[in-house]
């Protein structure tokens, strides 16, 4: 390993530590009540050192949001055809469970980006992919765009309530409820 690559690896490790600290503080306090001082303390570093990595908490949240948005886009692309049979139901259920697992890991980021009203097209991309899958089913009884938006809204809110512990059900149970 060269000196430059070891320094880059150390910086990447510190960023990962900061990301984890920010997610924990956002989960505990919400975006508005989170400060760079709280994040720095949780990350085990000084506030001035934190500012070497991120200009402010909005910059830090933007970095986290980009990462989660990228993962949501990948997840959207993994959804199989939504046809009205056992294969379609199994595909939907598996995808819903994967969404639940992602939300369990990143609910604090999704909640903070909603609270901070950060504009991202991640949920829009999710809706577009779902609409395309619904349209592929060939059903003329449902408008694919309306169904996709309703599904994304319902899935996101249900997982939000799970995340904030207003619903105490597992990811698997949530996927079962939504799929059926």
């Amino acid at each position: 390993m060269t000196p430059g690559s070891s320094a880059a690896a150390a910086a990447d490790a510190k960023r990962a530590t900061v990301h984890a600290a920010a997610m924990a503080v956002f989960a505990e306090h919400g975006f508005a009540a989170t400060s760079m001082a709280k994040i720095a303390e949780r990350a085990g570093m000084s506030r001035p050192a934190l500012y070497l990595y991120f200009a402010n908490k909005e910059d830090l949240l933007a970095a986290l949001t980009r990462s989660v948005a990228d993962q949501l886009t990948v997840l959207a692309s993994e959804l199989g055809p939504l046809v009205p049979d056992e294969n379609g139901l199994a595909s939907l259920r598996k995808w819903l469970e994967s969404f639940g697992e992602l939300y369990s890991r990143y609910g604090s980021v999704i909640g903070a980006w909603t609270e901070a009203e950060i504009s991202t097209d991640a949920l829009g991309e999710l809706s577009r992919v779902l609409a395309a899958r619904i349209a592929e089913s060939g059903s003329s009884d449902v408008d694919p765009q309306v169904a996709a938006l309703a599904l994304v809204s319902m899935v996101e809110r249900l997982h939000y309530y799970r995340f904030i512990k207003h619903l105490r059900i597992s990811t698997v149970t949530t996927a079962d409820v939504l799929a059926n």
Side-chain angles (χ1 to χ4, degrees), residues 43-158:
M45 62 194 310
S46 68
R47 216 178 59 184
L50 178 57
Y51 282 106
L52 293 174
Y53 294 92
F54 298 99
N56 50 42
K57 71 178 180 180
E58 291 80 9
D59 184 38
L60 174 51
L61 180 58
L64 289 167
T65 299
R66 280 189 301 276
S67 174
V68 174
D70 290 347
Q71 292 181 56
L72 282 170
T73 300
V74 169
L75 181 64
S77 71
E78 293 172 352
L79 179 62
L82 296 177
V83 292
D85 62 16
E86 288 299 315
N87 291 334
L89 182 60
S91 176
L92 177 61
R93 199 202 159 290
K94 179 179 183 253
W95 184 84
L96 288 167
E97 192 169 339
S98 295
F99 183 94
E101 290 166 358
L102 188 140
Y103 205 105
S104 292
R105 281 192 306 276
Y106 299 109
S108 62
V109 175
I110 296 168
W113 106 38
T114 302
E115 181 184 346
E117 298 179 353
I118 290 178
S119 178
T120 178
D121 197 38
L123 294 178
E125 177 63 18
L126 206 55
S127 294
R128 282 189 290 281
V129 171
L130 282 170
R133 294 296 190 269
I134 292 166
E136 289 168 7
S137 74
S139 173
S140 61
D141 297 338
V142 65
D143 180 317
Q145 288 180 319
V146 171
L149 287 172
L151 183 58
V152 167
S153 297
M154 183 174 51
V155 168
E156 190 283 326
R157 278 293 95 177
L158 190 56

